[in-house]
Amino acid sequence: MTEKAPWSLQEFETRIRDMERFYHINHPYHVMMHEGALSKEQIRGWVANRFYYQVNIPLKDAAIMANCPDRDTRAQWVQRIIDHDGAPGEAGGIEAWLQLAEAVGLTREEVLSEEHVLPGVRFAVDAYVNFARRADWHEAASSSLTELFAPKIHQQRLDNWPAHYPWIDPKGLSYFQKRLSEARRDVEHGLRITLSWYKTREQQEKMIRILKFKLDILWTMADAMHMAYVHEMPPYFTVES
Ligand SMILES: O=C(O)c1cc(C(=O)O)c2c(n1)C(=O)C(=O)c1cc(C(=O)O)[nH]c1-2
C-alpha cells in the first residue's frame, strides 16, 4: 500500500484552521451568550466554571515546559504562565478573571473556592492538563491551537456584552481585551512549532485529532454548563438531598 503524500504546509494550515467549525463559539451556550439570551445566573455559572480553566492553564503550560528540553521554546513559552499568573507584583489574567467575576456579581471567595465548578467541567479541564503532562511537548504545544479561534469569541464579548448585559460593570471585560493580542502571539508561536514538527501525512492527521481532542474539551465544558444552567439538570438533580 502506498503511503499518502503529506499535505503542503499551506494545506496543513488550512486543515487546522478548518477545524474552527467545531469551536465552542458554535455551542448553544455560547450562541445564547452572544445573543444576549443568558440570565444573570447563567452568566455567573459560566464565569465561575471557566475560572477552573483559567487556573489550570498555567499548570498545563508548566507541564509543557517541564517536558521541553529546548531553551528557546521555554524562553517564549514561559510568557504564557506570566500572562495568567502575573509577573511578581503585577496582576495577570487570573486576577483579571476574578475582576470579571466580581463584575458579574460573584464574590472572589466563592469563585476561588471552586464551589460552583461542575464535575463535567472539572473532568474536561483535568484531561487537558493530564494530556500536557504525558504527551510529547510538541503535541501538547499544538493542542493550544484552539486559540486560533479565540480572538473572534473574545471580540464578540467586547462588542456585545455592554448592550446585552448592561448590569455587568464594563471594567470587568478587560480580560477579553488583554487576550486579543496575547492569543495572537501564542498562536504564532504554536503554529511555528506545529508546522515544522508534523512531517508525514500520518503525523499531520494525528495533529488534527489532537486539535479535535482539545475542541472536545471546550465543547464538553459548555455541555456541562448547558445541562446545569439551561436545562436545569445539574448532577444529581433527581436525588433528594
Ligand atoms: O474564552 C474563550 O473562548 C477561550 C478559549 C480558549 C481556547 O480556545 O482554548 C482560551 C481562552 N479563552 C483563554 O482565555 C486562554 O487564556 C487560553 C489559553 C489556552 C490554551 O490552550 O493554552 N486556550 C485559551
Side-chain angles (χ1 to χ4, degrees):
M1 216 170 69
T2 52
E3 291 199 359
K4 288 186 258 178
W7 293 317
S8 66
L9 289 186
Q10 202 184 8
E11 169 81 14
F12 187 22
E13 187 173 336
T14 303
R15 299 245 172 194
I16 291 169
R17 290 182 185 275
D18 187 48
M19 295 300 280
E20 185 169 12
R21 64 193 191 281
F22 300 115
Y23 199 47
H24 63 181
I25 200 169
N26 296 315
H27 190 284
Y29 205 81
H30 286 284
V31 172
M32 286 175 74
M33 187 184 293
H34 170 54
E35 290 173 346
L38 292 187
S39 67
K40 285 184 186 177
E41 284 311 310
Q42 289 163 340
I43 291 278
R44 286 177 189 146
W46 177 72
V47 171
N49 275 273
R50 250 297 290 268
F51 184 71
Y52 191 65
Y53 191 66
Q54 301 309 126
V55 290
N56 275 282
I57 289 288
L59 300 185
K60 181 272 294 181
D61 287 319
I64 293 174
M65 286 180 58
N67 290 328
C68 175
D70 182 61
R71 190 176 78 175
D72 290 342
T73 303
R74 288 200 310 270
Q76 276 197 55
W77 207 271
V78 71
Q79 187 58 45
R80 298 179 186 230
I81 297 178
I82 296 168
D83 287 343
H84 288 278
D85 287 342
E90 281 173 28
I94 293 175
E95 174 57 30
W97 198 271
L98 286 167
Q99 286 169 14
L100 171 65
E102 289 182 316
V104 302
L106 292 160
T107 66
R108 249 167 208 271
E109 292 67 35
E110 70 183 310
V111 175
L112 285 164
S113 74
E114 299 176 4
E115 65 194 79
H116 300 300
V117 178
L118 295 160
V121 168
R122 190 176 289 278
F123 297 149
V125 173
D126 290 352
Y128 189 27
V129 179
N130 286 328
F131 174 72
R133 287 192 177 126
R134 295 198 189 109
D136 172 272
W137 70 267
H138 303 85
E139 293 183 0
S142 58
S143 70
S144 71
L145 280 180
T146 49
E147 276 201 280
L148 270 169
F149 319 127
K152 186 167 164 190
I153 201 168
H154 291 313
Q155 190 64 57
Q156 274 188 353
R157 294 170 191 142
L158 288 164
D159 292 344
N160 300 322
W161 281 28
H164 288 325
Y165 308 109
W167 51 273
I168 301 176
D169 183 344
K171 283 207 288 289
L173 307 186
S174 71
Y175 178 81
F176 304 130
Q177 187 66 46
K178 187 171 128 63
R179 280 312 294 172
L180 290 176
S181 55
E182 291 172 357
R184 291 200 174 96
R185 185 213 53 216
D186 289 356
V187 158
E188 206 229 305
H189 187 208
L191 258 185
R192 241 185 303 126
I193 294 169
T194 300
L195 293 176
S196 61
W197 176 249
Y198 301 88
K199 299 276 188 223
T200 67
R201 175 69 166 274
E202 203 184 8
Q203 291 164 349
Q204 291 169 329
E205 286 175 353
K206 182 176 188 193
M207 188 274 157
I208 300 292
R209 286 198 300 279
I210 289 169
L211 190 57
K212 180 61 169 35
F213 159 76
K214 171 67 179 304
L215 289 158
D216 292 347
I217 286 163
L218 297 173
W219 195 274
T220 299
M221 289 169 67
D223 276 351
M225 293 183 235
H226 207 82
M227 278 293 280
Y229 308 128
V230 178
H231 296 309
E232 299 185 355
M233 295 167 77
Y236 315 116
F237 75 101
T238 51
V239 180
E240 273 182 52
S241 54

